[in-house]
Amino acid sequence: MIITRTPFRVSFCGGGSDLPSFYTKHGGCVLSAAINKYMYLLIHPYFDSSTTILKYSKTEIVSDYSQIEHRYFRAILEEFDIKGVELTSIADIPSGTGLGSSSSFLVGLLHSIYSYRGKFVSREKLARQACHYEINVIGMPIGKQDQYAAACGGLNFYRFNKDGSVFVEPVIISAEKRRQLEENLMLFYIGNIHDSAAILFEQQKNISEGERERSQLEMCSLALELKIRLEEGDLDAAGELMHKNWLMKRTLASGISSAIIDEKYELALSLGATGGKLLGAGGGGFMLFYVPKEKQQALREGLGLKQLPFSFDMQGSSVIYVGERPDTL
């Protein structure tokens, strides 16, 4: 048996600029962090080599790739010609909540299969291949930040170049400053698990037009400014610049925000948050806030939402267990 562990992520500024409709024209950039909430993938040879068992929110027992309903499993198992295994996915957080779970799943699946084959794979290759399969093969209307955050881990500034390449630049701050930043961030679940595809389709169209394109360019500038100011030790910039980013992001597509999201966001500001944003494509999921420590209890009590404590993950996708191959198989 092999078990991989792949982190989810929170993003601060620049989201949307990793969509090809934008970065192929302007280049893009995002500042985000992997967090210690994970997708686990377990792969084990199955007793019957003609049968493949897939376990996620449901169980599939198949003898042919065409029978697989889960499109991520189907695409990757067929591409790598993997049969006669039992594959199980377990996640700390439900899908559709804005933490990049689908990309974490795909990165973890690729990592598991490479490890099962006894092959080393670099984090860059994991991220690059996950982007290819998720965007080009499976056809998801998403960008590239989630796959790179899942594969690489850490607090990073990502540049999405016009030619499709991605540069990963760590945000250089001390361990103590990183700990302080973690302590000033609060993550709350607002509900309404969403399908991001419709929002992202609209956003891809809109960010190539007029004022919305200018807003996306400004969000890229905010991501770069946040990197610079964090490296200068100005942690409070996270709240200020996330707030500016959110005000622009919510105008990029009709489904990104809602009345309840706007209400909770304004309430959080009134209770002491200096800024924040909804994570992911929009419509629901998790909201991230920057909150001075002395204001956090008031926010926790007043917001009326489930809090998810977290810290940054600095490893990225990792193999955490390798057992002996059963002699009987």
Side-chain angles (χ1 to χ4, degrees):
M1 177 183 291
I2 292 171
I3 304 175
T4 60
R5 185 185 72 181
T6 304
F8 296 148
R9 64 95 187 98
V10 297
S11 60
F12 298 95
C13 294
S17 70
D18 61 328
L19 293 169
S21 59
F22 184 84
Y23 71 69
T24 54
K25 183 177 181 181
H26 301 287
C29 56
V30 168
L31 196 147
S32 71
I35 64 172
N36 65 339
K37 306 301 172 188
Y38 299 101
M39 176 71 68
Y40 298 88
L41 267 293
L42 297 78
I43 185 169
H44 186 272
Y46 188 57
F47 181 79
D48 181 357
S49 62
S50 67
T51 300
T52 297
I53 298 181
L54 308 173
K55 297 179 180 178
Y56 48 105
S57 57
K58 62 183 294 184
T59 298
E60 296 190 51
I61 303 174
V62 302
S63 57
D64 187 81
Y65 300 126
S66 63
Q67 299 171 340
I68 300 175
E69 296 179 17
H70 193 292
R71 51 188 169 176
Y72 285 63
F73 273 133
R74 183 174 64 247
I76 301 305
L77 293 180
E78 185 169 15
E79 175 68 22
F80 285 81
D81 192 24
I82 298 289
K83 296 180 178 178
V85 297
E86 185 170 349
L87 267 162
T88 302
S89 70
I90 303 169
D92 288 334
I93 307 296
S95 62
T97 52
L99 299 183
S101 58
S102 67
S103 297
S104 295
F105 174 89
L106 187 51
V107 169
L109 179 58
L110 286 169
H111 203 171
S112 297
I113 287 174
Y114 274 111
S115 301
Y116 185 74
R117 286 272 177 87
K119 295 181 179 180
F120 169 79
V121 59
S122 69
R123 291 175 179 176
E124 193 280 332
K125 184 175 181 179
L126 269 181
R128 177 165 39 84
Q129 287 200 340
C131 289
H132 167 68
Y133 288 116
E134 194 163 14
I135 298 168
N136 301 324
V137 177
I138 299 170
M140 296 299 292
I142 62 173
K144 294 184 173 183
Q145 66 154 315
D146 294 352
Q147 301 89 342
Y148 275 84
C152 298
L155 175 64
N156 296 310
F157 180 78
Y158 299 96
R159 294 185 187 271
F160 307 101
N161 303 309
K162 293 180 182 180
D163 64 0
S165 62
V166 180
F167 295 164
V168 182
E169 303 174 18
V171 177
I172 307 300
I173 58 175
S174 68
E176 177 59 23
K177 285 291 185 181
R178 188 174 69 235
R179 183 189 62 79
Q180 291 175 18
L181 177 59
E182 291 172 341
E183 290 178 349
N184 287 340
L185 294 169
M186 302 183 76
L187 192 58
F188 292 94
Y189 182 56
I190 196 168
N192 298 321
I193 294 176
H194 65 285
D195 181 357
S196 62
I199 297 171
L200 288 170
F201 271 124
E202 182 184 349
Q203 186 173 335
Q204 289 224 50
K205 176 179 179 294
N206 290 345
I207 61 177
S208 300
E209 301 174 350
E211 185 61 34
R212 286 163 172 166
E213 183 177 48
R214 287 189 286 273
S215 292
Q216 188 69 71
L217 284 166
E218 179 59 26
M219 289 163 65
C220 288
S221 298
L222 293 176
L224 179 57
E225 181 182 350
L226 181 56
K227 176 182 185 293
I228 293 170
R229 290 177 64 178
L230 287 177
E231 292 183 336
E232 291 174 345
D234 182 7
L235 302 183
D236 291 343
E240 171 194 341
L241 299 180
M242 276 200 296
H243 176 68
K244 291 180 179 180
N245 187 91
W246 171 242
L247 294 181
M248 285 182 279
K249 176 180 176 176
R250 62 193 297 275
T251 69
L252 297 180
S254 57
I256 289 177
S257 193
S258 66
I260 185 63
I261 292 169
D262 291 343
E263 176 187 328
K264 292 295 185 181
Y265 186 82
E266 292 302 320
L267 177 59
L269 295 184
S270 72
L271 291 169
T274 61
K277 64 191 289 287
L278 189 73
L279 297 176
F286 283 93
M287 300 185 78
L288 178 68
F289 295 102
Y290 185 88
V291 191
K293 292 184 70 174
E294 65 273 13
K295 303 285 188 178
Q296 290 184 4
Q297 187 58 32
L299 183 64
R300 194 176 289 115
E301 294 175 355
L303 202 55
L305 298 174
K306 176 181 176 60
Q307 184 186 1
L308 181 69
F310 72 95
S311 59
F312 297 157
D313 168 274
M314 305 306 293
Q315 286 187 293
S317 187
S318 305
V319 176
I320 61 171
Y321 178 78
V322 178
E324 293 185 8
R325 191 179 185 90
D327 293 335
T328 57
L329 300 180

